[in-house]
Amino acid sequence: MIKALEKFLIPIADALSKNKVLVAIRDGFMYAVPVVIVGSIFLLISNFPIEGWSEMIATFAGEGWEKYFDAVTAVTFDCYALLSVMGIAYAYAREKGVDKIESAVVALVTFLMITPMKHAAFMNADGKMFSGFSFGHLGTKGIFLAMIVAIISTEIFAFAVKKKLVIKLPDGVPPAVMDSFAALIPAGLSMLVFFFVNMIFVNTPFGNVHTFIYQVLQAPLVGLGKSQAFEVIYQFLSTLFWFFGINGPAVTNTIFAPIHKALTLENYELAKAGLPMTNVFTSAFSDFFCNFGGGGSTLGLVLMMTFMAKSKRLKTLGRMALPAGIFGINEPIIFGFPMVLNVIMVIPFILAPVMNTIIGQLATAVGFIPVTSGVQLSWTTPIFISGYLTTGSINAVILQLFMLLADMALYYPFFKMQDSKYLEEEEKLAKEEKKDELDELSFDDLKLD
């Protein structure tokens, strides 16, 4: 059974992990993570979940102090599509072996070329139409179009470079000048393609490319992300890949991460508009309510290894892995326990994240915890701290504790089996070593005075 699954899954995982487009999308989103986390810190400070927080800060910062923090939040969350188009284009250019900076700049320009700048729905008192870019197109609703534009514009750029459609300057010209002229024709071709694309869509019932992509592609995919099975499937597949020694999230995030991001940013926009947040399966929910201690939700197992194991192997490994496990890093457990192809541990290893996902979903549905906000913390944020900061509710901390205990209960019988197996091996090895020592003793070495 395991060999059959291995034969089926490993080629799929290998193909996904080597697909240049999917790798670029995955890595491109990661480039935006530092500024998004910083923006989340500003968002957290301006909306800290303590009663009277805003009034307390206003006593020395003045009324309306939040607007200074909101400016930082706006350029990170509300411009996420801009960050994405540049990051993905940069990553894809790296995969294609062409100029990364020029590709990112061209992708940004082509994205803005097809973004509406006239908005008939917004008229001033004089009847003049609002002119400029809308955050609505640069933020959540533009994520999937940003992905598409980044890939296509860079593909055109790379095609032109590979076909030698570049301007070559004589030797002695400064490298910066040479690179800029070399990118002239590739950039022009890419911009020309999107010029015609924009011209076509402006004359359709959709009015622009943004509306078309959002209605035809992004809205249905985000709708899928709101289904009850979405997060369960994601957690199951991620852990299943880990079981075969493949970094699960590195594979599954190429498909699921854009949906998680879109759902998270939708919650942020709803909260900013004063409306109730509705999306359960955000990045924060996936990171902080489905897995504790890394893939397979192994933090509870590490705690049992540290304080309950009888075998030296598990106790020592537990003590070594616990500090990293608190911060969501569990490669020592994946490969040291090991979890890879371990038929004894496969059941709790795969079921624990799925169980946590279902419990978290039910707790949210009955109102025990609120929906996670648009705050995006590093996935290494420890348990309990992450629960409170992403929801503003102490109930989230209680829920995380309950989940951790449930994980321990699920792992316990399998942990005991593995611990007994290792203990038996250690005792057997100790007896063999003692026997070897006795065999090495010789009466010939004894001397009688």
Side-chain angles (χ1 to χ4, degrees):
M1 175 66 176
I2 290 177
K3 286 195 173 181
L5 277 173
E6 188 175 359
K7 192 177 289 187
F8 173 72
L9 287 173
I10 288 182
I12 295 175
D14 190 54
L16 289 175
S17 63
K18 291 180 179 178
N19 185 284
K20 291 181 179 181
V21 172
L22 295 179
V23 168
I25 291 171
R26 181 195 67 199
D27 293 351
F29 280 127
M30 291 303 296
Y31 289 131
V33 166
V35 292
V36 170
I37 290 177
V38 172
S40 293
I41 293 171
F42 278 81
L43 176 63
L44 187 61
I45 293 173
S46 62
N47 297 274
F48 202 72
I50 293 180
E51 191 70 29
W53 169 262
S54 180
E55 292 77 7
M56 181 185 72
I57 301 298
T59 57
F60 58 86
E63 292 293 332
W65 62 272
E66 296 93 343
K67 65 185 178 184
Y68 303 110
F69 288 79
D70 292 343
V72 179
T73 305
V75 296
T76 50
F77 286 86
D78 294 339
C79 297
Y80 195 84
L82 292 182
L83 300 176
S84 300
V85 73
M86 294 183 70
I88 294 169
Y90 183 95
Y92 194 48
R94 178 198 64 203
E95 296 295 316
K96 301 290 285 188
V98 296
D99 192 310
K100 299 184 287 293
I101 298 297
E102 290 290 350
S103 297
V105 171
V106 172
L108 175 63
V109 171
T110 53
F111 179 79
L112 293 176
M113 281 174 57
I114 60 175
T115 301
M117 288 182 279
K118 297 288 185 179
H119 306 274
F122 299 95
M123 308 281 286
N124 63 12
D126 298 328
K128 292 183 178 179
M129 188 186 306
F130 170 76
S131 179
F133 294 113
S134 165
F135 277 144
H137 293 127
L138 306 182
T140 308
K141 292 184 177 180
I143 288 179
F144 279 77
L145 181 59
M147 292 162 49
I148 295 169
V149 169
I151 297 300
I152 295 177
S153 69
T154 306
E155 191 68 56
I156 297 170
F157 189 98
F159 172 80
V161 171
K162 300 296 182 187
K163 294 296 182 181
K164 309 292 186 184
L165 299 176
V166 295
I167 297 174
K168 291 186 177 181
L169 298 179
D171 294 338
V173 176
V177 177
M178 190 174 293
D179 290 343
S180 63
F181 272 86
L184 187 60
I185 295 176
L189 284 175
S190 184
M191 293 170 66
L192 187 63
V193 168
F194 281 94
F195 170 78
F196 286 114
V197 167
N198 185 58
M199 185 183 296
I200 291 168
F201 276 93
V202 164
N203 293 287
T204 66
F206 292 101
N208 56 73
V209 188
H210 278 265
T211 302
F212 172 77
I213 293 296
Y214 184 77
Q215 292 183 4
V216 174
L217 179 63
Q218 182 166 333
L221 285 175
V222 171
L224 175 66
K226 296 178 182 181
S227 68
Q228 296 180 350
F230 172 78
E231 193 66 30
V232 170
I233 294 171
Y234 170 70
Q235 295 298 333
F236 175 80
L237 291 176
S238 296
T239 316
L240 184 63
F241 281 121
W242 269 128
F243 176 71
F244 289 101
I246 302 163
N247 188 322
V251 176
T252 54
N253 280 347
T254 56
I255 298 170
F256 287 83
I259 301 175
H260 277 135
K261 294 292 183 187
L263 293 170
T264 303
L265 293 173
E266 271 192 13
N267 274 4
Y268 160 74
E269 291 179 352
L270 288 168
K272 190 174 72 170
L275 300 172
M277 296 177 291
T278 57
N279 299 326
V280 176
F281 302 129
T282 61
S283 298
F285 183 90
S286 178
D287 289 340
F288 306 125
F289 291 93
C290 300
N291 278 293
F292 306 112
S297 197
T298 56
L299 182 58
L301 174 64
V302 173
L303 289 170
M304 291 191 292
M305 290 165 59
T306 305
F307 300 107
M308 298 170 62
K310 293 182 179 179
S311 65
K312 289 182 181 179
R313 174 175 175 174
L314 290 189
K315 185 173 284 292
T316 302
L317 180 60
R319 289 171 178 171
M320 292 174 59
L322 183 57
I326 291 172
F327 294 95
I329 300 167
N330 72 336
E331 274 75 3
I333 299 299
I334 298 287
F335 301 104
F337 191 96
M339 290 297 182
V340 176
L341 298 177
N342 188 329
V343 292
I344 294 178
M345 303 302 296
V346 62
I347 294 175
F349 184 65
I350 291 178
L351 287 185
V354 172
M355 177 182 70
N356 291 340
T357 302
I358 294 171
I359 293 173
Q361 183 182 354
L362 291 173
T364 307
V366 300
F368 183 74
I369 63 167
V371 170
T372 53
S373 66
V375 172
Q376 297 186 55
L377 305 177
S378 169
W379 58 270
T380 56
T381 306
I383 187 174
F384 307 139
I385 296 174
S386 59
Y388 182 72
L389 292 181
T390 54
T391 63
S393 171
I394 196 66
N395 282 0
V397 178
I398 297 171
L399 179 65
Q400 286 183 320
L401 177 60
F402 174 78
M403 288 177 169
L404 180 63
L405 294 174
D407 288 347
M408 294 174 73
L410 178 61
Y411 269 108
Y412 182 76
F414 303 92
F415 156 72
K416 290 298 291 182
M417 281 191 284
Q418 191 75 69
D419 189 36
S420 298
K421 182 174 179 289
Y422 286 153
L423 182 62
E424 184 180 333
E425 290 174 359
E426 290 171 2
E427 290 174 346
K428 184 178 179 181
L429 183 61
K431 287 179 182 178
E432 289 176 355
E433 289 177 349
K434 189 173 182 181
K435 183 180 178 182
D436 290 341
E437 289 175 4
L438 290 172
D439 290 342
E440 289 174 5
L441 290 176
S442 173
F443 287 103
D444 294 336
D445 297 330
L446 297 176
K447 291 182 179 181
L448 297 175
D449 294 333

Coordinates of all heavy atoms in Angstrom, one line a residue, residues 65-111:
W65 N -4.7 58.9 16.2 CA -3.3 58.5 16.0 C -3.3 57.2 15.1 O -2.2 57.0 14.5 CB -2.7 58.1 17.4 CG -3.4 57.0 18.1 CD1 -4.5 57.1 19.0 CD2 -3.1 55.6 18.0 NE1 -4.9 55.9 19.4 CE2 -4.1 54.9 18.9 CE3 -2.2 54.8 17.3 CZ2 -4.1 53.6 19.0 CZ3 -2.2 53.5 17.5 CH2 -3.2 52.8 18.3
E66 N -4.4 56.5 15.0 CA -4.4 55.3 14.1 C -4.1 55.6 12.7 O -3.6 54.7 11.9 CB -5.7 54.6 14.3 CG -6.0 54.0 15.6 CD -6.9 55.0 16.5 OE1 -6.9 56.2 16.1 OE2 -7.5 54.6 17.5
K67 N -4.4 56.8 12.2 CA -4.3 57.1 10.8 C -2.8 57.0 10.3 O -2.5 56.6 9.2 CB -4.8 58.5 10.4 CG -4.1 59.6 11.1 CD -4.7 60.9 10.8 CE -4.0 62.1 11.5 NZ -4.7 63.4 11.3
Y68 N -1.9 57.3 11.2 CA -0.5 57.1 10.9 C -0.1 55.7 10.7 O 0.7 55.3 9.8 CB 0.4 57.8 11.9 CG 0.1 59.2 12.2 CD1 -0.5 59.6 13.4 CD2 0.3 60.2 11.3 CE1 -0.9 60.9 13.7 CE2 0.0 61.5 11.5 CZ -0.6 61.9 12.7 OH -0.9 63.2 12.9
F69 N -0.6 54.8 11.5 CA -0.4 53.4 11.3 C -1.1 52.8 10.1 O -0.6 51.9 9.4 CB -0.8 52.6 12.6 CG 0.1 52.9 13.8 CD1 0.0 54.1 14.5 CD2 1.1 52.0 14.1 CE1 0.9 54.3 15.6 CE2 1.9 52.2 15.2 CZ 1.8 53.4 15.9
D70 N -2.3 53.3 9.9 CA -3.1 52.8 8.8 C -2.5 53.1 7.4 O -2.6 52.4 6.5 CB -4.5 53.5 8.8 CG -5.3 53.0 10.0 OD1 -5.0 52.0 10.6 OD2 -6.3 53.6 10.3
A71 N -1.7 54.2 7.4 CA -1.0 54.5 6.1 C 0.0 53.4 5.7 O 0.2 53.0 4.6 CB -0.2 55.8 6.2
V72 N 0.7 52.8 6.8 CA 1.7 51.7 6.5 C 0.9 50.5 6.1 O 1.3 49.8 5.2 CB 2.5 51.5 7.8 CG1 3.5 50.3 7.6 CG2 3.3 52.7 8.2
T73 N -0.2 50.2 6.8 CA -1.0 49.0 6.5 C -1.5 49.1 5.1 O -1.6 48.1 4.4 CB -2.2 48.9 7.5 OG1 -1.6 48.9 8.9 CG2 -2.9 47.6 7.3
A74 N -2.0 50.3 4.7 CA -2.6 50.4 3.4 C -1.6 50.0 2.2 O -2.0 49.3 1.3 CB -3.1 51.8 3.2
V75 N -0.4 50.5 2.3 CA 0.5 50.2 1.2 C 1.1 48.8 1.2 O 1.7 48.4 0.3 CB 1.7 51.2 1.3 CG1 1.3 52.6 1.1 CG2 2.5 51.1 2.6
T76 N 0.8 48.0 2.2 CA 1.2 46.6 2.2 C 0.0 45.7 1.9 O 0.1 44.9 0.9 CB 1.8 46.2 3.6 OG1 0.9 46.6 4.6 CG2 3.1 46.9 3.8
F77 N -1.1 45.9 2.5 CA -2.3 45.0 2.3 C -3.0 45.5 1.0 O -3.4 44.7 0.2 CB -3.2 45.0 3.5 CG -2.7 44.3 4.6 CD1 -1.9 44.8 5.6 CD2 -3.1 42.9 4.8 CE1 -1.4 44.1 6.6 CE2 -2.6 42.2 5.9 CZ -1.8 42.8 6.8
D78 N -3.3 46.8 0.9 CA -4.1 47.3 -0.2 C -3.3 47.3 -1.5 O -3.9 47.5 -2.6 CB -4.6 48.7 0.1 CG -5.6 48.7 1.2 OD1 -6.2 47.6 1.5 OD2 -5.8 49.8 1.9
C79 N -2.0 47.1 -1.5 CA -1.2 47.1 -2.7 C -0.6 45.7 -2.9 O 0.5 45.6 -3.5 CB -0.1 48.2 -2.7 SG -0.8 49.8 -2.7
Y80 N -1.2 44.7 -2.3 CA -0.6 43.4 -2.3 C -0.4 42.8 -3.8 O 0.6 42.1 -4.0 CB -1.4 42.4 -1.5 CG -0.7 41.1 -1.2 CD1 0.2 41.1 -0.1 CD2 -0.8 40.0 -2.0 CE1 0.9 39.9 0.2 CE2 -0.1 38.8 -1.7 CZ 0.7 38.8 -0.6 OH 1.4 37.6 -0.3
A81 N -1.3 43.2 -4.7 CA -1.2 42.7 -6.0 C 0.1 43.3 -6.7 O 0.7 42.6 -7.5 CB -2.4 43.1 -6.8
L82 N 0.4 44.5 -6.4 CA 1.6 45.1 -6.9 C 2.8 44.4 -6.4 O 3.8 44.1 -7.2 CB 1.7 46.6 -6.5 CG 0.6 47.6 -7.1 CD1 0.9 49.0 -6.7 CD2 0.7 47.5 -8.7
L83 N 2.9 44.1 -5.1 CA 4.0 43.4 -4.5 C 4.1 42.0 -5.2 O 5.2 41.5 -5.5 CB 3.8 43.2 -3.0 CG 3.7 44.5 -2.2 CD1 3.4 44.2 -0.7 CD2 5.0 45.3 -2.3
S84 N 3.0 41.4 -5.4 CA 2.9 40.0 -6.0 C 3.4 40.0 -7.4 O 4.2 39.1 -7.8 CB 1.5 39.4 -5.9 OG 1.1 39.4 -4.6
V85 N 3.0 40.9 -8.2 CA 3.4 40.9 -9.7 C 4.9 41.1 -9.8 O 5.5 40.5 -10.6 CB 2.6 42.0 -10.5 CG1 3.1 43.4 -10.2 CG2 2.6 41.7 -12.0
M86 N 5.5 41.9 -9.0 CA 6.9 42.1 -9.1 C 7.7 40.9 -8.5 O 8.6 40.5 -9.1 CB 7.3 43.4 -8.3 CG 6.7 44.7 -8.9 SD 7.3 46.2 -8.0 CE 9.0 46.2 -8.4
G87 N 7.2 40.4 -7.4 CA 7.9 39.2 -6.8 C 7.8 38.0 -7.7 O 8.8 37.3 -7.9
I88 N 6.7 37.7 -8.2 CA 6.5 36.6 -9.1 C 7.3 36.7 -10.4 O 7.9 35.7 -10.8 CB 5.0 36.3 -9.4 CG1 4.3 35.9 -8.1 CG2 4.8 35.2 -10.4 CD1 2.8 35.9 -8.2
A89 N 7.3 37.9 -11.0 CA 8.0 38.1 -12.2 C 9.5 38.0 -11.9 O 10.3 37.4 -12.7 CB 7.7 39.5 -12.8
Y90 N 10.0 38.5 -10.8 CA 11.4 38.3 -10.4 C 11.8 36.9 -10.3 O 12.8 36.4 -10.8 CB 11.6 39.1 -9.1 CG 13.1 39.1 -8.6 CD1 13.9 40.1 -8.9 CD2 13.6 38.0 -7.9 CE1 15.2 40.2 -8.5 CE2 14.9 38.0 -7.4 CZ 15.7 39.1 -7.7 OH 17.0 39.1 -7.3
A91 N 10.9 36.1 -9.6 CA 11.2 34.7 -9.4 C 11.2 33.9 -10.7 O 12.0 33.0 -10.9 CB 10.2 34.1 -8.4
Y92 N 10.2 34.2 -11.6 CA 10.1 33.5 -12.8 C 11.3 33.9 -13.8 O 11.8 33.0 -14.5 CB 8.8 33.9 -13.5 CG 8.4 32.9 -14.6 CD1 8.5 31.5 -14.5 CD2 8.0 33.4 -15.9 CE1 8.2 30.7 -15.5 CE2 7.7 32.5 -16.9 CZ 7.8 31.2 -16.7 OH 7.5 30.3 -17.7
A93 N 11.7 35.1 -13.7 CA 12.9 35.5 -14.5 C 14.1 34.7 -14.1 O 15.0 34.3 -14.9 CB 13.1 37.0 -14.4
R94 N 14.2 34.5 -12.8 CA 15.3 33.7 -12.2 C 15.3 32.3 -12.8 O 16.3 31.7 -13.1 CB 15.2 33.7 -10.7 CG 16.3 32.9 -10.0 CD 15.8 32.6 -8.6 NE 14.6 31.7 -8.6 CZ 13.7 31.7 -7.6 NH1 13.9 32.4 -6.5 NH2 12.7 30.9 -7.6
E95 N 14.1 31.7 -12.8 CA 13.9 30.4 -13.3 C 14.2 30.3 -14.8 O 14.7 29.3 -15.3 CB 12.5 29.9 -13.1 CG 12.0 29.8 -11.6 CD 12.8 28.7 -10.9 OE1 13.0 27.6 -11.5 OE2 13.3 28.9 -9.8
K96 N 13.9 31.4 -15.6 CA 14.1 31.4 -17.0 C 15.5 31.9 -17.4 O 15.9 31.8 -18.6 CB 13.1 32.3 -17.7 CG 11.6 31.9 -17.5 CD 11.3 30.6 -18.2 CE 11.1 30.8 -19.6 NZ 10.5 29.6 -20.3
G97 N 16.3 32.4 -16.4 CA 17.6 32.8 -16.7 C 17.8 34.1 -17.4 O 18.7 34.3 -18.2
V98 N 16.8 35.1 -17.2 CA 16.9 36.4 -17.8 C 17.0 37.4 -16.7 O 16.9 37.1 -15.5 CB 15.7 36.6 -18.7 CG1 15.7 35.7 -19.9 CG2 14.4 36.5 -17.9
D99 N 17.1 38.7 -17.1 CA 17.3 39.8 -16.2 C 16.1 39.9 -15.2 O 15.0 40.1 -15.6 CB 17.4 41.1 -17.0 CG 17.9 42.3 -16.1 OD1 17.3 42.5 -15.0 OD2 18.9 43.0 -16.5
K100 N 16.4 39.7 -13.9 CA 15.3 39.6 -12.9 C 14.7 41.0 -12.6 O 13.5 41.1 -12.6 CB 15.9 39.0 -11.6 CG 16.4 37.6 -11.8 CD 16.8 37.0 -10.5 CE 18.1 37.5 -10.0 NZ 19.3 37.2 -10.8
I101 N 15.5 42.0 -12.5 CA 15.0 43.4 -12.1 C 14.2 43.9 -13.3 O 13.1 44.4 -13.1 CB 16.2 44.3 -11.8 CG1 16.9 43.8 -10.5 CG2 15.7 45.7 -11.6 CD1 16.1 43.8 -9.3
E102 N 14.8 43.8 -14.5 CA 14.0 44.4 -15.7 C 12.7 43.6 -15.9 O 11.7 44.2 -16.2 CB 14.9 44.2 -16.9 CG 16.1 45.2 -17.0 CD 15.7 46.6 -17.2 OE1 14.5 46.9 -17.4 OE2 16.6 47.5 -17.0
S103 N 12.7 42.3 -15.7 CA 11.5 41.5 -15.8 C 10.4 42.0 -14.8 O 9.2 42.1 -15.1 CB 11.8 40.0 -15.6 OG 12.6 39.6 -16.6
A104 N 10.8 42.2 -13.6 CA 9.9 42.7 -12.5 C 9.3 44.1 -12.8 O 8.1 44.3 -12.7 CB 10.6 42.7 -11.2
V105 N 10.2 44.9 -13.4 CA 9.7 46.3 -13.7 C 8.7 46.2 -14.9 O 7.7 46.9 -14.8 CB 11.0 47.2 -14.1 CG1 10.5 48.5 -14.7 CG2 11.8 47.4 -12.9
V106 N 9.0 45.4 -15.9 CA 8.1 45.3 -17.0 C 6.8 44.7 -16.6 O 5.7 45.1 -17.0 CB 8.8 44.4 -18.1 CG1 7.8 44.1 -19.2 CG2 10.0 45.1 -18.7
A107 N 6.8 43.7 -15.7 CA 5.6 43.1 -15.2 C 4.7 44.1 -14.5 O 3.5 44.2 -14.6 CB 5.9 41.9 -14.3
L108 N 5.4 45.0 -13.7 CA 4.6 46.0 -12.9 C 4.0 47.0 -13.9 O 2.8 47.3 -13.8 CB 5.6 46.8 -12.0 CG 5.0 48.0 -11.3 CD1 3.9 47.5 -10.3 CD2 6.1 48.7 -10.5
V109 N 4.8 47.4 -14.9 CA 4.2 48.4 -15.9 C 3.0 47.8 -16.7 O 2.0 48.4 -16.9 CB 5.3 48.8 -16.9 CG1 4.8 49.6 -18.1 CG2 6.4 49.6 -16.2
T110 N 3.2 46.5 -17.1 CA 2.1 45.9 -17.9 C 0.9 45.7 -17.0 O -0.3 45.8 -17.5 CB 2.6 44.5 -18.5 OG1 3.1 43.7 -17.5 CG2 3.6 44.7 -19.6
F111 N 1.1 45.4 -15.8 CA -0.1 45.2 -14.8 C -0.8 46.5 -14.7 O -2.1 46.6 -14.8 CB 0.4 44.7 -13.5 CG -0.7 44.6 -12.5 CD1 -1.5 43.4 -12.5 CD2 -0.9 45.5 -11.5 CE1 -2.5 43.3 -11.6 CE2 -1.9 45.4 -10.6 CZ -2.7 44.2 -10.6

